[in-house]
Amino acid sequence: MTLSAITQQSVGAGIFSSAFLLSILIWLPVIVAVGIAIMPNPRGRYDTLIKQIAFFANLVTMFILFIAYNQFENFLPTMQYEEKIAWLPAIGVTYHLGVDGPGIAMLMLSGLVGIASVLASIGIRERVRTYFALLLLAQASVNGAIVARDMFVLILFWGASIVPIALLILGWGGPRRVGAAWRLVGYWGLGTAALAVGVLALYAVTGGRTFDMDTLLGTAQPPRIQIGVSIAMIVAGATRLPLFPLHGWLRDALAEAPVGVAVVVSGAASRLGAFLLLRVVIGAEPAAAHLLSPVLAALAALTVGYAALAAIRSVDIRHAGAYLAMVPGGITLLGLAAISPLGIAGSVLSLFTGGLAAALIAGVCATVSERAQTRSLLLLSGLAPRMPNIAWIFLLAAFALLGVPVFASFASEVMTFFGAFKTQPIGAFAVAIGLAITAVALAALLGRVLFGSPNSDAPGVSDAALGETWYLGILAGALLWIGLFPGGPKIPGTDTPLFDPGFVSQIAAGVSDITSNYTLPASAAPAAQ
Amino acid sequence: MPVLLIAPFASFLLALSSVRTRRSASATAMFGTVVSLLLTLLVAWGLARRSTPYVASYQYINMSVAFSGPTNFQTFAINLVFHVDHLTVIALLVIEVCVIAAIGWHQLMGRSEPGAARFHALITLLLFACTGVLVSWDLAELFGFWALAGALTYLLLTHRWGFDEAASRARIALALPFLTDLSLLCGIAWLYARYGTQNLATLLPILHTNPGWTVRSIVVGSVLLFVGVAGRLALWPLSGWLSMTSATAPTAASAIAQSAWPVVGMVVLYRLTPIFAASNRQTLQAFLVACAVSAVIAGATSLVGNGPRRVITLAGSGAVAVAAAVVINGAYHQPATFAIAGVAAVLAVAPARAAALLAASTIANAMRTDDMAEMGEAWRRMRASSGALLASAIVIGLAASGALAFGVSSRSRLGIALGEAVLLLAVGAIRVFVGASFGILRRRRAFDPDRVREPEGARGFPYWLAVAGAALLVASFLTGWLNFLDGQKHPAAGPLAIALWAAVAIVGFAACALVFTRDKDGALALSAFGGGFLGRYAAGGLGVVDRFLVEPTTDAGHRVSDWIAAGDGALGRFATASGQLALAAGRGPALPIVVGLAIVLAVVFALVAPGIAR
């Protein structure tokens, strides 16, 4: 790799003028992870320091992200904060990074989830150094997969995220951690293989000169190739998001993983599946997208319905939380399946809100199980009076999952349904029915766990600790903030944003570019208003 | 005008952030609601000087989603469009009065309820959400406030943490209305997908002029919207979330839910009737039939069972269903101007329903029984509460009659069906009064009936709420009131029509009074038997649904999970076995293995090659 071919554009870098802003987001956690790994920690003397280092590393990352988010030019459809360095010119690999609207949404999600995961991991006592090093590596790999603009680099980061997460589950998980970790490796490995097949197919069709995403995805391909590549990408995305029936890893992984890892997996790492579908299938393979949209809609409906039904029958609260964490993924997929501008925009917003909602529900179920010292729903009962903080957050998580207004998930669901009803009405109805079943599942879960009479046979319970309240509060607070101010708070009487330019405005950049393949002809326009 | 929303929200923030004791929580909620009431009166006074409603618009979401294609679909926007007219302020006043009475009653009678700060904070936020629904003119915005109000209603109805029965019954308060709320969302989404707008001001004029519009699309949208509103109006069979929680939820919460939602739902139904009218007559007929059936069955089920709160809930649902039928009938007959009569009827029913619930609960608490068969002597011992029950029952019965007098012919099949419903719900409503007020108060365990009395301060709230309902009932018979509500001119209902429909309710009152006078115990025993019979069959029906639909479906989901896990395990074992085989092969002699593999492959290829098949 040489630095001789550095090209960089500093579009979007105003106040913060680093040309390697995105690289900082990837490699800073890696450097900190390496530093943590090699620093001496005799008999755990520096455990607290290590946790603080990890927390502040995430905080610095989030600070940089926030500046990048504020400086982001929301009227530009092109990539911003681009970095491009030739790496393996013989096979056409470049170290090419960049973000657009959907990318910045994913980065913000990753940043928030990163902070939450560190706070959720405050209770780790064993091999703290290794744990936080692996956690930071996982976060770095997710960030890398989000900002990668070279498909080879994407595969590397995509695959790299498997190792630290599997090791975290294996090393710090619950009683069935071994099976959970191997199942995760198997499914995500299958997805990585499918991704590699799709990328190599694109590489071959475009002449085998470069892995650059702009070239691979910008070149027009015959419909058969589009369909083949799309199917490979759907398999890759479905194993990661996950979608029924490639969801086999989810239940055990989220149930056996430590709380912080469950938050990272459900909140950020899994959203990469939908992000990949958005980028490749919807963004670059319009013919295949049109053909496969009913399949995607069916998968969305099956995912939401199956997740709700499975959650109803769960006797383990962490299993129930894992199944419920699948629901936002189905809604995101419905928006993609709609292949309408509003549906796609809704799915982009849903990437962010769904990630937060999934992390919140998985996290709160894990926290309840830890605080109540049991996972069995046969024992958990009437916890609300004894753990009011967790009870309220549990309620907020349930409402966020259902898309109750005030939460950002309401806006994303409205946009998704509004966009889907035109092109996929049956799929939209089916997902709505699935959401109704989810409401039943949540009603049963809340009624049993929180509001019933206390079970005298259950172990003693305690309310959430400060760290737990904070990490859950961050996730819920982000959902509330975006839900109340989707366009950002403005100076009263003006359109001038105060300090938040508006999440919905920022993610709009690039969406129009993606949706340009799916707009109706103007002759079908309804009467102008 | 935004202060109508800001006031209850500020009260909520105050209650949430600073209040800890029961008394201060109650005082804060009461203060906030009274301020909201005064502000509403101020706005009403301002409206009285205008002929046009107040309209204000604020941006909530504005997102560019496409640069090409139809202009309507290039940008997605949800605007907070506040539209305040006479109907809005009157509906808001009714809700605020009901909330004030409920809070006041709860101050005295709800001392033993847990979580006072939480309870009162939720009430103020619910008021905020209901206000938002009433002032919304953008359907997405309306749905936002609607769903928020629904979530808050669930939290209020499940307020009694730590009680199994309350928790299990409150589940339906989340699941069932959420299902209908989704239907409302789907209806709004359906219309948006076809018209590109969700603002009523721009949607209604283009229902039949938009290129590509079809009757089918309007029908589907209308059905979805109607089902969505019917759920929150608690039209049978969607009334379970109110009737099942009427005894287990805090009475004040139940009273607010049963008074606020009919008003909010009916106003929304009234505003959506132009969309229903734009569909076909078959659709409207179906809606009318649904409302009529709901009214009759709700009235009939209010005759069985001896739980006073449940009976009041069902009788109220029946009255709301009758009013809904009148509103829909207004869309059915074009041009028609009497749909507003249905709204006016609900404005009277709402406070009466709340008053009846509060009074019945006062009596039930004093007599320490929730069974009318064990109640009695309330007229002698608890005159105010008993009087409130009487007044409320009369209002519920007659309010429906008033609506029918304006809009339904007594000779039509619809009129006959609704007349039956009025008769039944009148009987149901009045039998709570008769059952609790007369006859002997039976002793239960060591209970001393001489100590039965109503608390000094609480007696006034149900009574004055019933008076308010009575005043609105009288107003609902006046053409001028209807003219004021919707700003249009209405022909007066004939005195004969009013007398006829009122007579139906009065006959119901008289019949019930006669039966109870002759044999109260027998009547209540019969209704208890009917209630038990109905309960057993309902439980049986639910059991059948559970056994043949819910369990197999959820079991299928559970089995799929197990199969997938088993499949993964089998794959894992296969991978392990193949790896072990490879290791073993590596240790074994190579040549025999290779020869063996070659033979196997040759046989396989030979079998699958086309020549063998020929």
Side-chain angles (χ1 to χ4, degrees):
Chain A
M1 175 174 153
T2 67
L3 296 176
S4 59
I6 293 176
T7 57
Q8 50 92 5
Q9 300 172 22
S10 52
V11 171
I15 300 170
F16 197 90
S17 58
S18 167
F20 296 103
L21 186 141
L22 296 180
S23 289
I24 292 174
L25 296 177
I26 299 172
W27 300 111
L28 176 63
V30 174
I31 293 168
V32 174
V34 170
I36 286 176
I38 62 176
M39 73 180 274
N41 187 23
R43 293 193 204 92
R45 187 187 299 179
Y46 299 118
D47 283 353
T48 305
L49 177 63
I50 289 169
K51 293 173 186 176
Q52 289 171 346
I53 291 171
F55 174 73
F56 282 108
N58 273 281
L59 207 61
V60 168
T61 308
M62 192 64 212
F63 177 71
I64 296 171
L65 257 176
F66 191 71
I67 293 177
Y69 164 78
N70 261 280
Q71 294 178 166
F72 195 75
E73 308 281 9
N74 58 21
F75 52 84
L76 288 179
T78 55
M79 289 292 143
Q80 300 181 37
Y81 303 116
E82 274 197 273
E83 303 169 29
K84 201 167 184 178
I85 303 171
W87 181 20
L88 300 171
I91 55 173
V93 176
T94 51
Y95 178 75
H96 184 188
L97 308 178
V99 282
D100 58 357
I104 204 73
M106 284 292 293
L107 280 179
M108 292 297 289
L109 172 68
S110 177
L112 284 168
V113 167
I115 294 178
S117 68
V118 170
L119 287 171
S121 305
I122 290 294
I124 296 292
R125 297 274 180 265
E126 298 174 359
R127 291 162 284 144
V128 172
R129 187 174 52 179
T130 314
Y131 178 93
F132 281 94
L134 289 171
L135 192 66
L136 287 168
L137 288 176
Q139 291 166 13
S141 60
V142 169
N143 287 349
I146 293 168
V147 302
R149 294 298 301 166
D150 183 287
M151 296 297 268
F152 189 88
V153 174
L154 171 65
I155 295 173
L156 288 181
F157 280 119
W158 185 281
S161 64
I162 302 175
V163 175
I165 291 173
L167 288 174
L168 284 165
I169 296 174
L170 209 53
W172 288 267
R176 295 165 59 177
R177 60 186 178 276
V178 175
W182 282 113
R183 201 165 270 131
L184 181 130
V185 169
Y187 275 93
W188 285 19
L190 172 68
T192 308
L195 174 64
V197 165
V199 167
L200 288 173
L202 282 173
Y203 182 72
V205 163
T206 54
R209 286 187 297 275
T210 178
F211 279 95
D212 192 84
M213 216 179 266
D214 296 330
T215 306
L216 290 188
L217 302 183
T219 307
Q221 296 137 31
R224 280 192 178 185
I225 301 295
Q226 286 193 29
I227 292 169
V229 169
S230 297
I231 289 174
M233 295 301 167
I234 288 172
V235 170
T239 53
R240 185 59 71 107
L241 190 53
L243 302 171
F244 181 90
L246 297 173
H247 65 282
W249 62 271
L250 180 80
R251 185 190 71 178
D252 288 337
L254 291 189
E256 303 303 322
V259 182
V261 177
V263 167
V264 166
V265 169
S266 57
S270 60
R271 299 302 116 182
L272 289 176
F275 190 60
L276 179 72
L277 294 176
L278 172 73
R279 272 275 178 266
V280 180
V281 179
I282 304 299
E285 317 283 1
H290 277 286
L291 193 67
L292 295 173
S293 60
V295 174
L296 293 178
L299 282 177
L302 280 171
T303 300
V304 175
Y306 165 79
L309 289 173
I312 288 174
R313 287 294 297 263
S314 291
V315 293
D316 182 322
I317 190 171
R318 291 198 68 172
H319 286 179
Y323 285 124
L324 290 169
M326 284 175 71
V327 172
I331 294 173
T332 304
L333 188 65
L334 176 68
L336 294 176
I339 53 170
S340 63
L342 185 57
I344 293 169
S347 70
V348 171
L349 184 59
S350 180
L351 277 173
F352 179 82
T353 64
L356 288 178
L360 191 56
I361 195 71
V364 79
C365 287
T367 304
V368 167
S369 70
E370 289 199 344
R371 285 288 155 189
Q373 302 184 74
T374 177
R375 291 161 51 157
S376 172
L377 285 172
L378 302 173
L379 290 176
L380 290 169
S381 179
L383 299 180
R386 293 176 288 165
M387 39 167 70
N389 288 345
I390 292 183
W392 275 111
I393 295 175
F394 207 154
L395 279 167
L396 292 180
F399 289 150
L401 204 67
L402 294 175
V404 169
V406 173
F407 293 98
S409 43
F410 166 70
S412 63
E413 282 187 20
V414 163
M415 292 168 69
T416 301
F417 275 103
F418 278 30
F421 261 95
K422 187 152 188 70
T423 51
Q424 298 290 342
I426 297 174
F429 272 122
V431 169
I433 292 171
L435 263 183
I437 302 173
T438 306
V440 172
L442 281 167
L445 187 65
L446 292 174
R448 187 188 302 168
V449 174
L450 295 183
F451 301 134
S453 60
N455 188 341
S456 54
D457 296 331
V461 305
S462 56
D463 206 353
L466 188 64
E468 289 163 341
T469 308
W470 268 98
Y471 97 79
L472 292 169
I474 284 172
L475 298 173
L479 282 167
L480 280 169
W481 177 259
I482 305 296
L484 288 171
F485 304 107
K490 296 188 172 46
I491 298 172
T494 70
D495 278 337
T496 309
L498 269 176
F499 53 86
D500 178 1
F503 192 80
V504 166
S505 311
Q506 298 299 76
I507 68 171
V511 170
S512 310
D513 204 36
I514 295 171
T515 62
S516 59
N517 292 317
Y518 305 107
T519 52
L520 291 171
S523 58
Q529 302 307 307
Chain B
M1 186 185 46
V3 293
L4 287 178
L5 282 171
I6 292 171
F9 191 68
S11 171
F12 160 72
L13 290 177
L14 204 61
L16 191 69
S17 59
S18 62
V19 168
R20 288 293 171 263
T21 65
R22 185 188 61 80
R23 192 172 293 182
S24 54
S26 176
T28 306
M30 181 67 86
F31 174 72
T33 313
V34 168
V35 168
S36 300
L37 181 78
L38 293 174
L39 287 169
T40 309
L41 288 170
L42 183 66
V43 172
W45 177 74
L47 269 177
R49 294 162 166 261
R50 296 162 61 100
S51 57
T52 55
Y54 287 120
V55 180
S57 181
Y58 305 93
Q59 197 181 85
Y60 176 62
I61 289 179
N62 194 321
M63 185 176 178
S64 175
V65 296
F67 288 138
S68 58
T71 49
N72 274 32
F73 294 99
Q74 288 180 14
T75 304
F76 178 73
I78 298 178
N79 293 321
L80 300 179
V81 182
F82 300 139
H83 178 109
V84 180
D85 52 17
H86 293 161
L87 180 60
T88 308
V89 292
I90 297 299
L92 199 49
L93 282 171
V94 168
I95 293 174
E96 285 160 352
V97 164
C98 293
V99 170
I100 287 172
I103 293 173
W105 184 91
H106 190 79
Q107 275 176 341
L108 296 150
M109 298 296 292
R111 288 194 181 103
S112 59
E113 297 282 357
R118 166 170 48 101
F119 185 74
H120 290 95
L122 289 173
I123 287 179
T124 50
L125 197 58
L126 178 61
L127 180 62
F128 162 77
C130 290
T131 307
V133 175
L134 289 172
V135 303
S136 295
W137 214 245
D138 181 296
L139 289 177
E141 170 204 2
L142 183 148
F143 181 78
F145 285 112
W146 181 280
L148 177 64
L152 294 166
T153 304
Y154 164 71
L155 289 176
L156 281 170
L157 293 177
T158 192
H159 178 75
R160 287 176 178 162
W161 293 357
F163 295 94
D164 272 336
E165 197 184 2
S168 64
R169 289 195 175 207
R171 288 178 204 173
I172 196 172
L174 179 65
L176 180 59
F178 186 78
L179 185 66
T180 57
D181 289 348
L182 275 180
S183 175
L184 182 65
L185 175 64
C186 290
I188 297 169
W190 181 271
L191 289 174
Y192 176 84
R194 272 131 193 89
Y195 292 93
T197 177
Q198 71 266 16
N199 188 316
L200 282 173
T202 51
L203 174 64
L204 297 180
I206 64 169
L207 283 172
H208 279 172
T209 59
N210 198 47
W213 77 274
T214 60
V215 172
R216 180 179 162 273
S217 61
I218 299 178
V219 167
V220 171
S222 299
V223 169
L224 290 169
L225 291 173
F226 179 77
V227 171
V229 177
R232 288 295 178 183
L233 283 175
L235 304 185
W236 188 92
L238 303 170
S239 55
W241 66 281
L242 280 182
S243 61
M244 289 178 69
T245 57
S246 58
T248 55
T251 305
S254 204
I256 291 172
Q258 293 195 33
S259 55
W261 274 113
V263 172
V264 165
M266 197 58 68
V267 170
V268 171
L269 186 74
Y270 177 72
R271 287 179 179 160
L272 294 177
T273 47
I275 299 176
F276 303 154
S279 65
N280 54 22
R281 291 179 72 78
Q282 289 88 343
T283 307
L284 290 169
Q285 278 174 352
F287 291 167
L288 283 173
V289 169
C291 290
V293 167
S294 170
V296 171
I297 294 182
T301 49
S302 71
L303 300 183
V304 297
N306 285 344
R309 284 173 277 208
R310 178 185 158 278
V311 169
I312 291 166
T313 305
L314 289 167
S317 290
V320 170
V322 171
V326 172
V327 172
I328 299 294
N329 205 32
Y332 187 72
H333 293 283
Q334 292 290 335
T337 57
F338 50 78
I340 193 69
V343 182
V346 167
L347 292 177
V349 166
R353 209 171 168 186
L357 272 172
L358 297 178
S361 193
T362 305
I363 294 171
N365 288 343
M367 297 183 183
R368 299 187 194 177
T369 178
D370 209 34
D371 187 343
M372 284 192 289
E374 295 177 351
M375 291 180 180
E377 302 177 17
W379 183 255
R380 182 170 68 86
R381 298 173 183 273
M382 304 175 71
R383 184 67 58 95
S385 298
S386 184
L389 262 183
L390 173 64
S392 303
I394 292 173
V395 170
I396 290 173
L398 289 178
S401 303
L404 292 172
F406 273 95
V408 179
S409 164
S410 57
R411 294 196 192 92
S412 64
R413 278 185 289 184
L414 177 68
I416 293 170
L418 293 178
E420 277 181 30
V422 168
L423 181 71
L424 291 170
L425 64 94
V427 172
I430 204 69
R431 79 183 183 100
V432 177
F433 161 72
V434 179
S437 301
F438 303 107
I440 301 168
L441 172 62
R442 302 189 189 287
R443 289 174 181 272
R444 292 181 75 237
R445 298 186 213 108
F447 176 67
D448 178 5
D450 290 329
R451 293 178 62 193
V452 173
R453 61 179 68 87
E454 52 202 345
E456 196 58 44
R459 70 171 75 173
F461 290 103
Y463 175 77
W464 288 110
L465 203 53
V467 168
L472 287 165
L473 168 69
V474 170
S476 71
F477 287 100
L478 303 175
T479 315
W481 176 245
L482 301 187
N483 296 347
F484 173 76
L485 282 179
D486 69 352
Q488 297 179 33
K489 293 286 183 198
H490 298 277
L496 204 59
I498 295 175
L500 176 65
W501 288 111
V504 172
I506 292 169
V507 165
F509 297 148
C512 179
L514 189 65
V515 167
F516 272 67
T517 304
R518 297 190 76 156
D519 185 5
K520 173 192 168 185
D521 291 338
L524 287 173
L526 188 63
S527 70
F529 175 77
F533 183 79
L534 195 68
R536 275 194 301 276
Y537 270 89
L542 285 173
V544 167
V545 169
D546 192 54
R547 180 156 179 223
F548 291 104
L549 182 64
V550 175
E551 269 202 35
T553 315
T554 56
D555 195 47
H558 196 65
R559 282 174 189 271
V560 167
S561 305
D562 292 341
W563 288 340
I564 288 174
D568 293 341
L571 267 175
R573 284 191 294 277
F574 174 76
T576 309
S578 66
Q580 286 170 345
L581 191 65
L583 282 173
R587 286 193 291 270
L591 188 57
I593 292 171
V594 169
V595 169
L597 272 174
I599 293 169
V600 167
L601 282 171
V603 169
V604 167
F605 276 116
L607 286 172
V608 301
I612 297 295
R614 279 202 303 268

